[in-house]
Amino acid sequence: MTRSATETDLGRTRRARRIGRLLTETHPDAHCELDHTSPLELAVATILSAQCTDKKVNEVTPKLFARYPTAADYAAANRGEMEELIRPTGFYRNKTNSLIQLGQALVERYHGRVPGRLADLVTLPGIGRKTANVILGNAFDVPGITVDTHFQRLVQRWRLTTETDPVKIEHEIGAMFPKRDWTMLSHRIIFHGRRVCHARKPACGACTLTKLCPSYGTGPTEPAAAAKLLKGPRARDLAAAAGVDPELVPVQAVRAEAP
């Protein structure tokens, strides 16, 4: 399908919701991929995830969380010690600054607890609107849309929005879906972006959304070529869901880390 220039707002919303339903079927395992057991741990992990894979963050955080279990511990942290712990995530000096300052702000203004309101979260060091929505949706069950690079790329490829500002994208896409669906919608779109609809070469020929995507053909449409581009432990399930022979998915694709 190619979205025509005359697609109405209602038509676009209906198409968006069909995409949402297909993503629910395609990615039943969608979830926040940052390991955490509390709002503080999720806030810290999300700060560390900037310019870093979730997998690498999850390798670093067990020792970090054990060493700094409370906001007061981050506030009083030894800078050199923390830098060494988080060095593998990159930009470790800036991230150390953010974590120490976050701890201090939480102790001084919120009794050491991560607040559960967007207006409060975005005032904290290291936490912008995207990070705040991750925390709200996954630690407080407050619906939020997370406009990361994957989310932005896909909703633009699907021509659900022409906006480039993340806040405007958040509001425009949010208006197309029930608020209760926002958090899981974000996870499913991000899962799809990491596993199927890659930035440089999407797996168009092994995608469940081909009939709804106006950008179909951006990547290879031949099933054998497309199947090789799928990533993650469910790569063969993703192929089957798209009507492609799972055996076309190489073993290395199943073992590949979703970016």
Side-chain angles (χ1 to χ4, degrees):
M1 169 200 164
T2 299
R3 177 192 164 198
S4 76
T6 59
E7 185 178 39
T8 63
D9 289 344
L10 178 59
R12 185 166 61 254
T13 295
R14 286 175 171 168
R15 184 165 59 87
R17 292 194 177 191
R18 287 198 294 273
I19 287 172
R21 289 192 291 272
L22 278 173
L23 289 176
T24 300
E25 298 171 6
T26 304
H27 303 287
D29 57 330
H31 63 280
C32 177
E33 296 188 271
L34 292 170
D35 295 340
H36 65 281
T37 61
S38 70
L40 177 61
E41 289 185 356
L42 181 55
V44 169
T46 307
I47 288 172
L48 293 181
S49 70
Q51 305 298 314
C52 182
T53 66
D54 289 355
K55 180 180 179 181
K56 179 58 66 175
V57 172
N58 291 338
E59 290 172 0
V60 166
T61 49
K63 287 184 180 179
L64 186 72
F65 293 161
R67 178 66 182 84
Y68 307 104
T70 70
D73 293 318
Y74 285 97
N78 175 279
R79 184 175 300 275
E81 181 181 350
M82 181 177 285
E83 285 181 355
E84 284 306 306
L85 279 173
I86 69 171
R87 182 187 290 267
T89 68
F91 301 96
Y92 59 93
R93 290 193 177 92
N94 288 339
K95 291 177 181 179
T96 294
N97 286 339
S98 293
L99 294 182
I100 291 175
Q101 291 169 12
L102 173 65
Q104 293 169 344
L106 291 175
V107 169
E108 293 168 5
R109 289 153 48 193
Y110 298 104
H111 308 289
R113 301 178 68 86
V114 175
R117 294 195 323 143
L118 180 68
D120 295 326
L121 286 168
V122 296
T123 68
L124 294 169
I127 296 181
R129 191 178 180 94
K130 179 183 76 173
T131 299
N133 276 324
V134 171
I135 296 167
L136 289 173
N138 297 285
F140 293 103
D141 291 325
V142 175
I145 286 180
T146 303
V147 183
D148 74 348
T149 55
H150 300 289
F151 189 102
Q152 181 167 338
R153 179 178 75 253
L154 268 61
V155 296
Q156 288 171 341
R157 273 186 177 163
W158 297 332
R159 296 183 198 164
L160 299 181
T161 180
T162 57
E163 298 290 352
T164 56
D165 177 75
V167 176
K168 292 181 179 178
I169 292 172
E170 176 189 334
H171 290 154
E172 186 166 4
I173 301 303
M176 298 178 184
F177 293 89
K179 190 172 183 178
R180 65 178 180 273
D181 295 341
W182 288 355
T183 299
M184 285 309 301
L185 174 71
S186 299
H187 289 322
R188 290 168 187 141
I189 290 177
I190 291 168
F191 257 57
H192 200 70
R194 287 175 166 171
R195 291 156 175 78
V196 182
C197 193
H198 312 298
R200 294 183 180 176
K201 191 183 287 188
C204 290
C207 178
T208 55
L209 305 180
T210 55
K211 294 181 180 179
L212 297 170
C213 182
S215 298
Y216 175 70
T218 301
T221 59
E222 203 280 319
K228 294 177 182 177
L229 299 173
L230 297 174
K231 290 185 178 180
R234 291 189 66 252
R236 287 178 173 165
D237 294 329
L238 296 174
V244 173
D245 182 357
E247 294 302 315
L248 293 174
V249 179
V251 172
Q252 59 265 35
V254 177
R255 295 174 180 167
E257 175 187 343

